[in-house]
Amino acid sequence: MEFINTQIQDLTLIKPSVFGDNRGYFLESFNQEKFSQHIGDVNFVQVNESKSAYGVLRGLHYQKPPYSQAKLVRCIEGKVLDVVVDLRHLSPTYGQHLSFELSGENKHQLFIPRGFAHGFVVLSETAIFSYMVDNKYAPDFDSGIAWNDKDLNIDWQLPIEEIILSEKDKALKPLKETVIPTM
């Protein structure tokens, strides 16, 4: 398992070791000892999974304190463009974003610490996406940023007319119009 630091502090790309043969493959998707050694102590309390069709964009979501969440995300089947935005006020990369292709083929994972907005768009016919979180879902503390924020200028790698959003995500505002609590 390889832990790769990204251009944004504390955001880590993880490439698991994959052992394959004519029967299929085996990989260790999570190992607490290795994770703690490279990332630190994170106590995951819930694992979520979604299945989405091509063009579905989920995000950019985060939870406000005291229910902020760190996440370990991966795409089990299909391909997504995974996007994170640094919302940590004291971070030198506040308001910056990074994108990663996560797929069933590359099996990469992304550790997203607390203080980030997160979203993904499905680039394949369908995708099964999994994420472990270190805090429970708290609907009253759920929030987000508009996926098409002009200042963020995220390239979602799809034509706008092919993007499918929930009603909740359609109502999200740009970062400069969103009150971001200290995380």
Side-chain angles (χ1 to χ4, degrees):
M1 195 173 275
E2 184 180 1
F3 292 78
I4 302 165
N5 295 326
T6 68
Q7 299 94 320
I8 296 181
Q9 185 178 358
D10 303 323
L11 184 66
T12 306
L13 183 67
I14 303 167
K15 294 182 178 181
S17 299
V18 181
F19 305 95
D21 59 26
N22 63 344
R23 300 169 297 153
Y25 71 88
F26 171 84
L27 70 83
E28 186 177 73
S29 64
F30 180 76
N31 178 302
Q32 184 67 57
E33 184 177 334
K34 291 176 186 173
F35 192 86
S36 294
Q37 179 184 4
H38 292 277
I39 304 285
D41 291 328
V42 178
N43 182 31
F44 292 112
V45 298
Q46 186 172 321
V47 180
N48 302 311
E49 182 175 296
S50 66
K51 181 176 183 180
S52 304
Y54 172 83
V56 169
L57 191 153
R58 297 180 185 269
L60 297 158
H61 303 145
Y62 65 93
Q63 283 194 168
K64 299 177 211 170
Y67 294 100
S68 301
Q69 294 177 323
K71 298 176 182 177
L72 180 60
V73 302
R74 68 188 186 119
C75 183
I76 297 170
E77 184 179 292
K79 179 168 67 171
V80 304
L81 181 71
D82 198 78
V83 177
V84 294
V85 179
D86 189 349
L87 300 180
R88 302 170 298 174
H89 289 285
L90 300 178
S91 171
T93 53
Y94 174 81
Q96 293 181 26
H97 73 277
L98 289 177
S99 302
F100 302 86
E101 183 182 292
L102 304 179
S103 70
E105 186 174 324
N106 71 22
K107 302 189 184 347
H108 294 173
Q109 299 178 69
L110 187 63
F111 172 70
I112 307 162
R114 291 181 181 201
F116 283 76
H118 170 256
F120 66 89
V121 67
V122 178
L123 302 176
S124 53
E125 186 177 330
T126 61
I128 297 176
F129 193 81
S130 175
Y131 50 107
M132 298 169 60
V133 294
D134 75 337
N135 208 345
K136 69 179 185 174
Y137 175 65
D140 292 340
F141 294 83
D142 190 31
S143 194
I145 298 165
W147 67 279
N148 59 350
D149 183 324
K150 288 180 181 16
D151 292 331
L152 293 176
N153 195 30
I154 298 169
D155 177 3
W156 290 98
Q157 299 182 9
L158 286 181
I160 290 174
E161 61 274 7
E162 293 183 5
I163 290 178
I164 303 166
L165 299 165
S166 69
E167 292 304 313
K168 176 181 114 176
D169 288 351
K170 287 178 185 176
L172 295 175
K173 296 182 173 155
L175 177 58
K176 68 182 176 187
E177 296 177 28
T178 304
V179 176
I180 306 294
T182 302
M183 297 209 200

